[in-house]
Amino acid sequence: MEYDEVILGRRSIRGYKPDPVPQALIREIVGLAMRAPSSYNSQPWNLYVISGRPLDLIRAGNVERMVAGVPESREFRAGSPFAGRHRERQVGVAKQLFIAMGIAREDKERREDWMLRGFRQFDAPVCVIVTYDRELADSDDTPFDCGALANALVNAAWSRGLGTVINSQGIMQSPVVREAAGIPDHQVIMKSIALGWPEETFPANAVLSERKPIDEAVVFVGFDE
Ligand SMILES: Cc1cc2nc3c(=O)[nH]c(=O)nc-3n(C[C@H](O)[C@H](O)[C@H](O)COP(=O)(O)O)c2cc1C
């Protein structure tokens, strides 16, 4: 695939075929992703590629705790709830997804079911947990570097026909993930990425989220001199 085709074609995939993903293919994708730049080449990331029974334990543990109302225990700062234009974008993509899935605003049951899907890692056959080395926790470069890795990974996966969705839902109950994946205390759990073969008939997979105009994000300086 051409670079543009990957970048413009990739979208978050929230419905997967149950087919397994060969370990060799995941190694290839991770190898590409790990070419991501990082601060002073520190490469603060670690990846836990989870499938089979341990992933089922994570799904079950996440759902059980969320349904029981166990408070979230994510290991990253989420900040205040979005407001203004950020909130508008959040609502915008949620609306696109609900319309695609035919989930009505007042349909509490299906909305809850949709939310739980995220805690089940969208029933993907694989989930990648990204952690970072705790001794680098004080630097904002660390989450920045993990983001670079995650972006490279989702695009590398897409170039091989695989879908992904980066998500916080999978790691909101961090003790569940820590135990099932055997993550040591000297690593901090950063993010989860569901991965697998896209189910073409799953309506939400067709949603192409919007982007703000380039001129809203970019200031060109010194070009008219
Ligand atoms: C840091 C981060 C956290 C995310 N968390 C979730 C999540 O918990 N659940 C979910 O369905 N999507 C999640 N997403 C996916 C975003 O909603 C998605 O990337 C965004 O709407 C843009 O859509 P696209 O990926 O299809 O281009 C997350 C993405 C990022 C980068």
Short mmCIF file of all heavy atoms in Angstrom, two decimals, residues 189-223:
data_model
loop_
_atom_site.label_atom_id
_atom_site.label_comp_id
_atom_site.label_asym_id
_atom_site.label_seq_id
_atom_site.Cartn_x
_atom_site.Cartn_y
_atom_site.Cartn_z
N ILE A 189 1.04 1.42 32.99
CA ILE A 189 0.15 1.06 31.87
C ILE A 189 -0.36 2.34 31.20
O ILE A 189 -0.98 3.18 31.85
CB ILE A 189 -1.03 0.20 32.36
CG1 ILE A 189 -0.50 -1.11 32.98
CG2 ILE A 189 -2.00 -0.09 31.22
CD1 ILE A 189 -1.57 -1.99 33.59
N MET A 190 -0.07 2.46 29.91
CA MET A 190 -0.37 3.70 29.19
C MET A 190 -1.64 3.60 28.34
O MET A 190 -2.52 4.44 28.41
CB MET A 190 0.83 4.01 28.27
CG MET A 190 0.72 5.26 27.47
SD MET A 190 0.94 6.69 28.51
CE MET A 190 -0.35 7.73 27.92
N LYS A 191 -1.74 2.58 27.52
CA LYS A 191 -2.87 2.53 26.58
C LYS A 191 -3.05 1.12 26.06
O LYS A 191 -2.15 0.27 26.18
CB LYS A 191 -2.58 3.47 25.40
CG LYS A 191 -3.76 4.12 24.74
CD LYS A 191 -4.66 4.89 25.65
CE LYS A 191 -4.10 6.21 26.13
NZ LYS A 191 -4.97 6.93 27.05
N SER A 192 -4.21 0.88 25.50
CA SER A 192 -4.54 -0.42 24.95
C SER A 192 -4.84 -0.26 23.46
O SER A 192 -5.38 0.77 23.05
CB SER A 192 -5.77 -0.93 25.71
OG SER A 192 -6.19 -2.16 25.21
N ILE A 193 -4.49 -1.25 22.66
CA ILE A 193 -4.80 -1.20 21.22
C ILE A 193 -5.39 -2.56 20.83
O ILE A 193 -4.68 -3.57 20.87
CB ILE A 193 -3.54 -0.92 20.37
CG1 ILE A 193 -2.81 0.33 20.86
CG2 ILE A 193 -3.92 -0.79 18.89
CD1 ILE A 193 -1.47 0.60 20.16
N ALA A 194 -6.68 -2.58 20.51
CA ALA A 194 -7.31 -3.81 20.00
C ALA A 194 -6.84 -4.02 18.56
O ALA A 194 -6.68 -3.04 17.82
CB ALA A 194 -8.82 -3.70 20.08
N LEU A 195 -6.63 -5.27 18.19
CA LEU A 195 -6.08 -5.55 16.85
C LEU A 195 -6.67 -6.83 16.27
O LEU A 195 -6.84 -7.82 17.00
CB LEU A 195 -4.55 -5.64 16.99
CG LEU A 195 -3.72 -5.98 15.75
CD1 LEU A 195 -2.42 -5.16 15.77
CD2 LEU A 195 -3.36 -7.45 15.67
N GLY A 196 -6.97 -6.81 14.99
CA GLY A 196 -7.48 -8.02 14.34
C GLY A 196 -7.95 -7.72 12.93
O GLY A 196 -7.80 -6.60 12.43
N TRP A 197 -8.51 -8.73 12.30
CA TRP A 197 -9.01 -8.56 10.92
C TRP A 197 -10.37 -7.87 10.96
O TRP A 197 -11.29 -8.35 11.64
CB TRP A 197 -9.15 -9.93 10.24
CG TRP A 197 -7.88 -10.71 10.27
CD1 TRP A 197 -7.59 -11.79 11.05
CD2 TRP A 197 -6.69 -10.46 9.49
NE1 TRP A 197 -6.31 -12.23 10.81
CE2 TRP A 197 -5.73 -11.43 9.85
CE3 TRP A 197 -6.35 -9.52 8.52
CZ2 TRP A 197 -4.46 -11.48 9.29
CZ3 TRP A 197 -5.08 -9.57 7.96
CH2 TRP A 197 -4.17 -10.53 8.35
N PRO A 198 -10.52 -6.73 10.27
CA PRO A 198 -11.80 -6.01 10.30
C PRO A 198 -12.96 -6.85 9.76
O PRO A 198 -12.81 -7.53 8.76
CB PRO A 198 -11.56 -4.81 9.37
CG PRO A 198 -10.08 -4.66 9.27
CD PRO A 198 -9.51 -6.04 9.43
N GLU A 199 -14.08 -6.78 10.47
CA GLU A 199 -15.32 -7.40 9.99
C GLU A 199 -16.00 -6.38 9.07
O GLU A 199 -16.51 -5.36 9.54
CB GLU A 199 -16.21 -7.76 11.19
CG GLU A 199 -17.59 -8.26 10.83
CD GLU A 199 -17.55 -9.44 9.87
OE1 GLU A 199 -17.10 -10.50 10.28
OE2 GLU A 199 -17.96 -9.25 8.70
N GLU A 200 -15.96 -6.66 7.76
CA GLU A 200 -16.42 -5.64 6.80
C GLU A 200 -17.89 -5.28 6.98
O GLU A 200 -18.30 -4.17 6.64
CB GLU A 200 -16.21 -6.10 5.34
CG GLU A 200 -14.76 -6.13 4.88
CD GLU A 200 -14.14 -7.51 5.03
OE1 GLU A 200 -14.89 -8.44 5.40
OE2 GLU A 200 -12.92 -7.64 4.81
N THR A 201 -18.68 -6.22 7.48
CA THR A 201 -20.12 -5.94 7.60
C THR A 201 -20.47 -5.18 8.88
O THR A 201 -21.65 -4.87 9.10
CB THR A 201 -20.92 -7.27 7.59
OG1 THR A 201 -20.48 -8.05 8.70
CG2 THR A 201 -20.71 -8.04 6.30
N PHE A 202 -19.50 -4.89 9.72
CA PHE A 202 -19.79 -4.20 10.98
C PHE A 202 -19.91 -2.69 10.68
O PHE A 202 -18.92 -2.05 10.30
CB PHE A 202 -18.68 -4.47 11.99
CG PHE A 202 -19.01 -4.03 13.38
CD1 PHE A 202 -19.87 -4.78 14.17
CD2 PHE A 202 -18.46 -2.88 13.90
CE1 PHE A 202 -20.18 -4.38 15.46
CE2 PHE A 202 -18.77 -2.46 15.19
CZ PHE A 202 -19.63 -3.21 15.97
N PRO A 203 -21.13 -2.11 10.85
CA PRO A 203 -21.37 -0.75 10.34
C PRO A 203 -20.40 0.32 10.85
O PRO A 203 -19.97 1.18 10.09
CB PRO A 203 -22.81 -0.46 10.79
CG PRO A 203 -23.44 -1.80 11.00
CD PRO A 203 -22.34 -2.71 11.45
N ALA A 204 -20.03 0.26 12.12
CA ALA A 204 -19.17 1.33 12.68
C ALA A 204 -17.80 1.36 12.02
O ALA A 204 -17.12 2.40 12.04
CB ALA A 204 -19.03 1.15 14.19
N ASN A 205 -17.40 0.24 11.44
CA ASN A 205 -16.08 0.21 10.79
C ASN A 205 -16.00 1.11 9.57
O ASN A 205 -14.91 1.43 9.11
CB ASN A 205 -15.71 -1.23 10.39
CG ASN A 205 -15.38 -2.08 11.59
OD1 ASN A 205 -15.24 -1.57 12.69
ND2 ASN A 205 -15.26 -3.39 11.37
N ALA A 206 -17.16 1.50 9.04
CA ALA A 206 -17.16 2.35 7.84
C ALA A 206 -17.05 3.83 8.19
O ALA A 206 -16.87 4.66 7.30
CB ALA A 206 -18.45 2.09 7.04
N VAL A 207 -17.16 4.14 9.47
CA VAL A 207 -17.19 5.57 9.86
C VAL A 207 -15.82 6.22 9.67
O VAL A 207 -14.81 5.74 10.17
CB VAL A 207 -17.63 5.72 11.35
CG1 VAL A 207 -17.37 7.13 11.85
CG2 VAL A 207 -19.10 5.35 11.50
N LEU A 208 -15.83 7.30 8.91
CA LEU A 208 -14.62 8.09 8.71
C LEU A 208 -14.79 9.36 9.56
O LEU A 208 -15.65 10.19 9.25
CB LEU A 208 -14.47 8.43 7.22
CG LEU A 208 -13.05 8.69 6.73
CD1 LEU A 208 -12.10 7.56 7.07
CD2 LEU A 208 -13.06 8.94 5.23
N SER A 209 -14.01 9.47 10.61
CA SER A 209 -14.16 10.62 11.51
C SER A 209 -13.64 11.89 10.83
O SER A 209 -12.79 11.83 9.95
CB SER A 209 -13.41 10.36 12.80
OG SER A 209 -12.04 10.10 12.52
N GLU A 210 -14.17 13.02 11.29
CA GLU A 210 -13.80 14.29 10.65
C GLU A 210 -12.51 14.85 11.23
O GLU A 210 -12.09 14.47 12.32
CB GLU A 210 -14.94 15.30 10.86
CG GLU A 210 -16.19 14.89 10.09
CD GLU A 210 -17.39 15.75 10.44
OE1 GLU A 210 -17.24 16.72 11.21
OE2 GLU A 210 -18.49 15.41 9.94
N ARG A 211 -11.88 15.74 10.49
CA ARG A 211 -10.71 16.47 10.98
C ARG A 211 -10.94 17.95 10.82
O ARG A 211 -11.57 18.38 9.84
CB ARG A 211 -9.44 16.07 10.21
CG ARG A 211 -8.99 14.64 10.45
CD ARG A 211 -8.57 14.37 11.89
NE ARG A 211 -8.09 13.00 12.09
CZ ARG A 211 -8.87 11.96 12.40
NH1 ARG A 211 -10.17 12.14 12.57
NH2 ARG A 211 -8.34 10.76 12.56
N LYS A 212 -10.43 18.72 11.78
CA LYS A 212 -10.56 20.17 11.64
C LYS A 212 -9.73 20.62 10.44
O LYS A 212 -8.76 19.94 10.05
CB LYS A 212 -10.14 20.89 12.92
CG LYS A 212 -8.70 20.71 13.35
CD LYS A 212 -8.49 21.45 14.69
CE LYS A 212 -7.07 21.30 15.21
NZ LYS A 212 -6.88 21.94 16.51
N PRO A 213 -10.09 21.78 9.85
CA PRO A 213 -9.35 22.25 8.67
C PRO A 213 -7.88 22.53 9.02
O PRO A 213 -7.58 22.92 10.16
CB PRO A 213 -10.06 23.55 8.29
CG PRO A 213 -11.35 23.56 9.03
CD PRO A 213 -11.18 22.68 10.22
N ILE A 214 -7.02 22.35 8.05
CA ILE A 214 -5.58 22.57 8.27
C ILE A 214 -5.34 23.96 8.85
O ILE A 214 -4.54 24.13 9.78
CB ILE A 214 -4.81 22.38 6.94
CG1 ILE A 214 -4.79 20.90 6.57
CG2 ILE A 214 -3.38 22.94 7.04
CD1 ILE A 214 -4.11 20.57 5.27
N ASP A 215 -6.07 24.97 8.33
CA ASP A 215 -5.82 26.34 8.79
C ASP A 215 -6.27 26.60 10.22
O ASP A 215 -5.93 27.62 10.81
CB ASP A 215 -6.46 27.36 7.82
CG ASP A 215 -5.68 27.41 6.52
OD1 ASP A 215 -4.44 27.20 6.57
OD2 ASP A 215 -6.28 27.61 5.45
N GLU A 216 -7.03 25.68 10.79
CA GLU A 216 -7.41 25.83 12.19
C GLU A 216 -6.28 25.30 13.09
O GLU A 216 -6.16 25.66 14.25
CB GLU A 216 -8.69 25.01 12.44
CG GLU A 216 -9.59 25.61 13.50
CD GLU A 216 -10.85 24.77 13.66
OE1 GLU A 216 -11.54 24.52 12.64
OE2 GLU A 216 -11.12 24.35 14.79
N ALA A 217 -5.44 24.43 12.51
CA ALA A 217 -4.37 23.83 13.32
C ALA A 217 -3.01 24.46 13.06
O ALA A 217 -2.15 24.46 13.93
CB ALA A 217 -4.30 22.33 13.01
N VAL A 218 -2.85 24.99 11.84
CA VAL A 218 -1.50 25.36 11.41
C VAL A 218 -1.35 26.86 11.29
O VAL A 218 -2.23 27.54 10.76
CB VAL A 218 -1.20 24.72 10.03
CG1 VAL A 218 0.20 25.10 9.54
CG2 VAL A 218 -1.32 23.20 10.12
N VAL A 219 -0.25 27.37 11.79
CA VAL A 219 0.12 28.77 11.57
C VAL A 219 1.43 28.75 10.79
O VAL A 219 2.43 28.19 11.26
CB VAL A 219 0.32 29.50 12.92
CG1 VAL A 219 0.74 30.95 12.68
CG2 VAL A 219 -0.94 29.42 13.77
N PHE A 220 1.40 29.25 9.58
CA PHE A 220 2.63 29.34 8.79
C PHE A 220 3.33 30.65 9.15
O PHE A 220 2.69 31.71 9.12
CB PHE A 220 2.30 29.30 7.29
CG PHE A 220 1.87 27.94 6.82
CD1 PHE A 220 0.52 27.64 6.65
CD2 PHE A 220 2.81 26.95 6.55
CE1 PHE A 220 0.11 26.39 6.23
CE2 PHE A 220 2.40 25.68 6.12
CZ PHE A 220 1.06 25.41 5.97
N VAL A 221 4.56 30.58 9.47
CA VAL A 221 5.29 31.77 9.91
C VAL A 221 6.50 31.98 9.01
O VAL A 221 7.27 31.04 8.77
CB VAL A 221 5.75 31.60 11.38
CG1 VAL A 221 6.49 32.84 11.87
CG2 VAL A 221 4.56 31.30 12.29
N GLY A 222 6.64 33.19 8.50
CA GLY A 222 7.84 33.54 7.73
C GLY A 222 7.83 33.10 6.29
O GLY A 222 8.87 33.15 5.62
N PHE A 223 6.67 32.70 5.77
CA PHE A 223 6.63 32.21 4.38
C PHE A 223 6.45 33.33 3.36
O PHE A 223 6.75 33.14 2.20
CB PHE A 223 5.50 31.18 4.23
CG PHE A 223 5.92 29.81 4.69
CD1 PHE A 223 5.91 29.49 6.03
CD2 PHE A 223 6.38 28.86 3.78
CE1 PHE A 223 6.33 28.23 6.47
CE2 PHE A 223 6.80 27.62 4.20
CZ PHE A 223 6.77 27.31 5.55
#
